[in-house]
Structures are given as C-alpha cells and as structure tokens.
Amino acid sequence: MPLWPVYTGTEEPHDGITRLPPPPPWRAFDGRPALDPPDEDADAAAVSPDRSHRAATYRATPRTVQLVNAALYLRRPLLVTGPPGTGKSSLVYAVARELRLGPVLRWNITSRSTLHDGLYQYDPLSRLYAARRTAQLPAEGPEGARGDSSGEGAGDESGVENHLRLGPLGTALLPYARPRALLIDEIDKSDLDLPNDLLNVLEEGQYEIPELVRTARHRRHGRAEVMVDGTGERVPVEHGRVRCRSFPFVVLTSNGEREFPPAFLRRCVTLRLRQPDDRQLADIVRAHLGEPDAYAQGLIERFLARAGTGDLATDQLLNAIYLAGASGLGAESLDDLAEQLMPYLGQTPSADAF
C-alpha cells in the first residue's frame, strides 16, 4: 500500500520518499543521466547551525502535513502564505531533514530577480579574458594539446562550462534520483512578470542553456560538465538541456503583499499558515528553549492577547522569553524589555500597553 503520509512532521529522519507512488501521468519526468543526491553536508551554508536548528524545531500542524504530502504526491510546488514569523521558510528545512532530501537550495527573491538568475549565471567577460590567456599559450604545452580548434576542448580554460554556474532553480531541476528541496523565498517581492515566467519551467520540469546548446556540436556526446549551486561539484549536461527526473520539492513563500495570476495559482498547492494558538505556541517555545516557566507562560498569554489586535511574529516572543532567562533582570525591567521587543509589525494600535 502507498505510504501516506510520507512527511509526518515528526523529528525522526527516514527514507519514506523512496516509497512515493508513481506521479500522475501528466507529471512524469525522465531526465538523464540520473544523478546521485548530494551528501547532507555538501553545502556548508545549507547545514549551518541556525538552519539545522530551524529544521529540528519546526512544529507542523495537521493541515501543513496534509498539504505537504499533497505537493509531494502531485509533484507540484507548494505556495506557503501567511503573516511574518509563522514558519513559512522553516518548513522546507524540516521536510528536507525528515525525508533526507539533502541540502536545501535557496533562492531569495528581490524586485530585480529574473528567471535567468534562478536557472544559471554565465560570465562572458571572464570567458573573454580566459580566451586571451589561452591564445597567448603555445599550441602544445607539456601536457599535450590545449584543446580543439573550436575553443571548447575539455582542458580549455575558455570553455563555456568553466564560466557558467547553475542557480538554485537550475540545480533543483537536474535529474537527481530523489527530489531536491528548493526554497523560493518571498516570491511576492518579485517583479510582476516572474510568477508568469516560472510557469513553463515548473510545468515542464526542464530548461535550456543556450550557451551550451550552441557549442554542443563541438563536444563528445554533446556533454558539458557544469558547476551546481551551493558546491563546487560538476555535473553533466547533455546538448545544453536540463530535465528533471524526480520533480523537486519546491516551496514558494509569500507574505501576502500581492495577488498572483490564476494560471500560477492553479499550478501550485496552496498552504495558508495562521498565527499559532496557545497550545502551538507552548510547543514552539518548548522545542526552541525548553519547558516554559511561569514567567514565560505569562509572556505567551500576553503575546496572544496582543496578537488579536495587531501583527506580531512568533520569533518576537522567542526573543523575549530567551532574554527573560538569560539577562537576569528583575520582573519590572523584563516587562519593559518585552514590550520593546514585541512591537506591532503593522500600524500600531492606540492601545499598545502590555
């Protein structure tokens, strides 16, 4: 029987991803050559202590577990919306940790981000300098010929692949044997065109690198070895075309600052996160800082009371509780400090007293 749920929201890593049922026929991919997933510690930034902590302490609600599994089964991106501080970006790290998907690829979106940025970066200027250096070398050095007449020999420093690196989206769509995890953070900060530009790539699970397509005929089997995002590893790309084998687990986060086109929304599974209730807040505090004491419990209650009249983020509460235990201040000073650490994130209501 198929395993449901694959992602359980527990703290124990497992290989349940290997028992996913086949995808829907319209979401089947056959990219090649098949690549082994990277080691957990291949990307030092992705396994930094802060991200590892967020992955281990994330507390998923039953609704979150259900919709994560829907995205995994359907091979669809997961669009996660909600107020700041509700754990939108932490979710992908928790899923990657439990399902052993390897280092999380991360694409931080700004108003200037383009689809090209996410797929790959190519530096023609550095290639030009390399070509000039190569032209100044003797035709044959101590190691033999420096390359073929096309300038695309495997040992040629001016080869296109030596000046091209895949981006986080481009790396996620490589033909890995198991899905990679990709975070596209704050998609609502993007230019208006980016969600539409993503449609075809996420729907087809593939893209082309024109610079490699043009030079493929000069290569044996049309293959180039290109660097991937996050590490110095090189992977083969044939004829300049990349097609996934296991569709990546893609999480797009949004603070709800804009609406997305219907064509984009229908290609995503949408999860709307809400502010946690008192029980969930206590679980979150317990996971991060241990069992809450009487003062911490009082801060939780006051946080919930204030959250009903304005925007607050969970990490503001965690900051206040941490300082309450670490600062050694008296109760009156702690109350004043907590008020300053937990201001409303939106327009401040008139009654802002603790």
Side-chain angles (χ1 to χ4, degrees):
M1 293 293 292
L3 175 66
W4 179 285
V6 173
Y7 170 65
T8 64
T10 63
E11 299 180 26
E12 293 302 319
H14 57 82
D15 290 313
I17 194 69
T18 61
R19 299 192 293 276
L20 261 182
W26 55 90
R27 297 296 294 165
F29 303 98
D30 60 355
R32 60 183 178 86
L35 302 176
D36 294 327
D39 295 333
E40 292 286 341
D41 57 353
D43 183 352
V47 293
S48 59
D50 60 319
R51 295 182 179 180
S52 298
H53 176 80
R54 288 161 61 187
T57 57
Y58 186 82
R59 293 296 179 264
T61 65
R63 176 180 173 81
T64 298
V65 171
Q66 186 178 44
L67 291 177
V68 165
N69 281 281
L72 289 168
Y73 270 63
L74 295 172
R75 277 68 168 182
R76 288 291 187 185
L78 181 68
L79 175 62
V80 184
T81 65
T86 49
K88 297 185 295 295
S89 60
S90 297
L91 172 59
V92 66
Y93 291 97
V95 175
R97 176 180 181 272
E98 181 179 326
L99 299 183
R100 294 176 175 157
L101 302 183
V104 173
L105 299 158
R106 181 168 184 146
W107 183 15
N108 296 313
I109 301 298
T110 71
S111 60
R112 297 180 299 276
S113 298
T114 65
L115 177 62
H116 188 279
D117 297 331
L119 293 177
Y120 70 96
Q121 299 87 42
Y122 171 57
D123 188 347
L125 191 59
S126 70
R127 188 187 178 204
L128 176 62
Y129 292 150
R132 288 178 177 175
R133 289 193 299 269
T134 301
Q136 294 169 359
L137 296 175
E140 185 167 327
E143 298 300 324
R146 69 170 183 249
D148 58 30
S149 60
S150 69
E152 298 298 338
D156 187 358
E157 184 188 355
S158 65
V160 174
E161 72 275 16
N162 294 318
H163 306 275
L164 186 149
R165 185 172 195 144
L166 299 185
L169 175 58
T171 300
L173 291 172
L174 286 167
Y176 287 109
R178 67 166 61 190
R180 291 297 304 270
L182 169 65
L183 171 63
I184 302 179
D185 203 22
E186 298 191 334
I187 184 68
D188 52 334
K189 298 282 196 298
S190 72
D191 179 86
L192 291 174
D193 292 331
L194 183 58
N196 284 323
D197 292 343
L198 283 168
L199 287 179
N200 186 63
V201 172
L202 294 178
E203 186 68 17
E204 301 296 330
Q206 63 183 6
Y207 63 97
E208 284 191 350
I209 302 174
E211 293 83 356
L212 294 181
V213 172
R214 287 194 295 267
T215 60
R217 62 187 178 88
H218 300 300
R219 306 175 186 279
R220 181 175 298 178
H221 307 302
R223 176 177 292 190
E225 300 282 334
V226 301
M227 286 190 294
V228 301
D229 183 70
T231 71
E233 178 190 6
R234 287 182 177 269
V235 298
V237 173
E238 296 183 346
H239 304 289
R241 298 177 179 88
V242 175
R243 180 173 172 83
C244 71
R245 191 176 187 89
S246 297
F247 189 78
F249 176 62
V250 181
V251 172
L252 306 103
T253 69
S254 168
N255 290 322
E257 296 181 4
R258 59 178 280 195
E259 294 184 354
F260 297 105
F264 177 79
L265 292 174
R266 75 176 180 84
R267 288 171 169 86
C268 298
V269 174
T270 301
L271 168 64
R272 294 178 176 84
L273 295 181
R274 298 175 175 83
Q275 290 287 3
D277 58 25
D278 54 349
R279 180 188 59 80
Q280 292 168 334
L281 271 179
D283 286 343
I284 292 170
V285 170
R286 193 175 296 111
H288 285 273
L289 299 171
E291 192 66 34
D293 59 17
Y295 186 82
Q297 194 62 50
L299 280 179
I300 293 174
E301 294 172 1
R302 282 185 270 179
F303 177 88
L304 286 168
R306 299 185 76 223
T309 58
D311 292 335
L312 293 172
T314 306
D315 56 352
Q316 294 175 285
L317 173 64
L318 293 174
N319 289 337
I321 293 177
Y322 170 78
L323 282 180
S327 65
L329 295 173
E332 184 175 345
S333 297
L334 284 175
D335 285 347
D336 180 64
L337 181 60
E339 182 175 352
Q340 297 180 60
L341 288 173
M342 294 195 290
Y344 289 106
L345 302 178
Q347 183 176 0
T348 305
S350 56
D352 193 26
F354 241 139

